[in-house]
Amino acid sequence: MSNYATIKDLIIFSDPIIGDITLDEILNYLLLQIQSQKRFEEIVYSNLKQTNLTDKDIATIFSLSSTNITETYIKLIKNEL
């Protein structure tokens, strides 16, 4: 795999109004979205704890989330791990 520093400025999308969007910008936007998703999951978790669901049921629900693995993949790409 290429060193991230050499590919981070790669233009992925170019628009006459928006301008150029680089790989680094896309990955940073994804990381911001992941932070919002984590906040959403915290709220859902808090609400689920107030129900009759067991901890195992709640863990099963959250095991379906891909938030953490997606964040890990992005950090791997960006050489942050």
Side-chain angles (χ1 to χ4, degrees):
M1 181 174 191
S2 297
N3 185 346
Y4 184 69
T6 62
I7 62 170
K8 72 181 192 105
D9 294 324
L10 179 68
I11 296 172
I12 302 297
F13 182 77
S14 187
D15 182 271
I17 296 173
I18 299 171
D20 295 337
I21 299 177
T22 65
L23 176 62
D24 194 49
E25 290 171 326
I26 290 173
L27 294 178
N28 287 335
Y29 292 139
L30 284 171
L31 287 172
L32 286 174
Q33 183 58 40
I34 286 171
Q35 295 309 311
S36 295
Q37 181 65 24
K38 284 183 177 183
R39 179 66 182 131
F40 169 76
E41 289 176 3
E42 289 172 6
I43 292 168
V44 170
Y45 177 79
S46 174
N47 288 333
L48 290 175
K49 287 296 281 182
Q50 298 175 23
T51 67
N52 293 333
L53 292 172
T54 66
D55 287 343
K56 183 178 178 182
D57 293 335
I58 294 171
T60 301
I61 291 168
F62 279 94
S63 72
L64 300 172
S65 173
S66 63
T67 304
N68 289 333
I69 194 66
T70 303
E71 182 178 34
T72 301
Y73 291 153
I74 292 171
K75 288 182 177 186
L76 280 172
I77 292 169
K78 294 180 82 169
N79 295 325
E80 293 179 354
L81 291 180

